[in-house]
Amino acid sequence: METTLRGVGVSHGVAIGEVRHMGTAVLEPPAKQIPAGEAEREQGRARQAVEAVAADLIARGNLAGGEAQAVLEAQAMMAQDPELIADVERRIAVGSSAERGVYDAFASYRELLAGAGDYLAGRVADLDDVRNRIVARLLGVPMPGVPDSDEPYVLVARDLAPADTALLDPSLVLGFVTEEGGPTSHSAILARALGVPAVVALAGATELSEGASVAVDGSTGEVFVEPGAERRAQLEQVAAERRAVLGSATGPGATSDGHKVPLLANVGGPADVAAAVEAGAEGVGLFRTEFLFLDDSKQAPSREKQVEAYRQVFEAFPEGRVVVRVLDAGADKPLDFLTPADEPNPALGVRGLRSLLDHPEVLRTQLAALSDAAEGLPVYLEVMAPMVADRTDAKAFADACREAGLRAKFGAMVEIPSAALRARSILQEVEFLSLGTNDLAQYTFAADRQVGAVSRLQDPWHPALLDLVALAAESAGAEGKSCGVCGEAASDPLLACVLTGLGVTSLSMGAASIPYVRSALAQHTLAQCERAAAAARATDSAAEAREAAQAVLTGEAQR
């Protein structure tokens, strides 16, 4: 009998297939004591396993590129954490085997993270994955992960480790469903990059029977268990209609009455450029530069290395707009040479621009490298700072750009509510704003973007968040300056129409979402988008806001 479950749709499309579960976690190794004479050998085994796992994570990242590369390199750094390794060796020295020493050391660190507040607690899944990989290597057993299958399937898991998600084969994995995670979790972001339909935060997902037939709608968040023939036909028709509409919309982003809304791509490095160009991106709205800095947590990359990487992206968009975010280190992206090691709450500490202002030589080198990379190219370069809180921050960044001789527009990201509330003041110092809706939601609602339990408050449809977007956009309009959105909110076609109605001037997203957003905008006028935005803001919840906007746009389209 058909049943319907509902989670959070995070990647568009429909997938129909049989359930395959992720492998189970590594079993706890036995707590046996080793002779004192074997301690050195066991410590060597542990170090070799750690280095092998770190190397494997980095290799997987190199293969995947982009967002996945940055995530996996951060995991490799976690595996090689000097304090963790020292703890492992101490445990082995008093009689633990290598695998037991690793297991217990990670368990201790896990407790610290779990009790350190939501932001760090959200990293527990990544830590568990690193532990499992090291222990599996020491035990000589296969690493649990994506199941082996010759037939396409729908992957179901409690959560997906970045190392597994990064290398999913879209020809075999039709879609995936997770019990945990949120709309801006690593799994969700990587699913959109892969173009795989996905639903997260689905209660009871892991209780689905192996081999059960399911239909996953990554747009609505619905999962139909044992769908009947009528449901299958309905979903297949919906998928066909979506494909037809996608194919009919081409060219630059614009509403049906010609109001231009440039559609840009979020990229994590040169590896993401091909997909962005193929999707028809009009430029880059968010060039995350962290991927370069995660290669070596001990020191910043050289100016020459940065120039080479930046230039590859600039050359892909001749005469196009490329918006570069300077290094956003801290919180879940710590760097030994930049990030304080003893912050009680890194998400609210020295992160982003704050780190760079504390280490001006790192900022100077990056700005100089960006200037060198753009030299002689017709690219329209714009450079923005992350985590700008007020006008003082904006001025400090603009001054640094000018001192570096950078020929570009200087901008500020709006990720902190104070920046939205005081946007007009900030715009006295910079030339554009870019709304990072992922972090703006996180800080507005005090809801960690990696924690599925608070996913209700991570929803970019929440009217409070829409109010902040509107405030920033209105301020930019009053100053005659631009205000784009580069957070994951821009990848939702319906929400893209609402953002346009709020006054947002450009939208940047993962390449796979661009055709969907282009198609949605092309079906509505600017006035219709404005009416949908007003209807959404007049509600009191994210669900009501979406329904109100949908009703307006559907009604307008039928007239």
Side-chain angles (χ1 to χ4, degrees), residues 268-271 273 287 289 291-293 295 301-316 322 324 365-375 377:
V273 166
F287 180 6
T289 58
F291 78 101
L292 271 173
F293 291 79
D295 281 345
S302 68
R303 178 169 170 173
E304 293 72 24
K305 182 177 180 180
Q306 292 187 54
V307 169
E308 180 183 358
Y310 302 152
R311 196 169 180 89
Q312 288 182 58
V313 176
F314 296 168
E315 288 174 340
V322 177
V324 179
T365 299
Q366 184 170 26
L367 294 175
L370 288 167
S371 181
D372 291 348
E375 188 68 34
L377 296 179

Side-chain angles (χ1 to χ4, degrees), residues 315-536:
E315 288 174 340
F317 294 95
E319 300 185 6
R321 178 185 178 197
V322 177
V323 184
V324 179
R325 180 179 71 191
V326 294
L327 176 62
D328 183 13
D332 61 334
K333 294 170 285 189
L335 295 171
D336 291 349
F337 67 90
L338 201 67
T339 309
D342 56 351
E343 287 188 301
N345 191 339
L348 301 180
V350 184
R351 178 189 169 189
L353 180 62
R354 300 167 186 176
S355 292
L356 293 174
L357 294 178
D358 281 352
H359 298 80
E361 71 286 354
V362 175
L363 179 58
R364 275 196 302 269
T365 299
Q366 184 170 26
L367 294 175
L370 288 167
S371 181
D372 291 348
E375 188 68 34
L377 296 179
V379 65
Y380 292 97
L381 178 61
E382 300 184 6
V383 182
M384 61 186 182
M387 299 296 290
V388 171
D390 56 16
R391 183 172 179 173
T392 300
D393 280 350
K395 183 178 187 305
F397 178 65
D399 287 347
C401 290
R402 282 188 284 268
E403 289 169 11
L406 189 62
R407 298 177 190 170
K409 284 187 174 181
F410 317 141
M413 290 197 71
V414 177
E415 302 165 284
I416 303 173
S418 64
L421 293 168
R422 301 291 295 172
R424 197 154 187 182
S425 171
I426 287 172
L427 284 164
Q428 305 310 303
E429 304 295 342
V430 296
E431 298 170 83
F432 69 94
L433 300 177
S434 184
L435 287 145
T437 52
N438 305 351
D439 273 322
L440 185 58
Q442 173 172 249
Y443 291 122
T444 298
F445 301 112
D448 191 309
R449 53 193 279 194
Q450 300 296 333
V451 179
V454 292
S455 61
R456 178 183 73 82
L457 296 171
Q458 298 157 357
D459 195 324
W461 277 96
H462 199 291
L465 192 70
L466 298 181
D467 286 345
L468 290 174
V469 172
L471 187 58
E474 289 165 4
S475 297
E479 292 294 327
K481 297 179 179 179
S482 63
C483 177
V485 168
C486 64
E488 292 300 316
S491 65
D492 180 333
L494 181 60
L495 185 50
C497 293
V498 168
L499 294 172
T500 298
L502 292 175
V504 167
T505 55
S506 66
L507 299 166
S508 189
M509 65 210 75
S513 298
I514 291 176
Y516 291 91
V517 172
R518 181 190 291 122
S519 172
L521 287 172
Q523 296 176 60
H524 305 288
T525 66
L526 175 59
Q528 289 169 350
C529 292
E530 290 172 342
R531 285 193 284 273

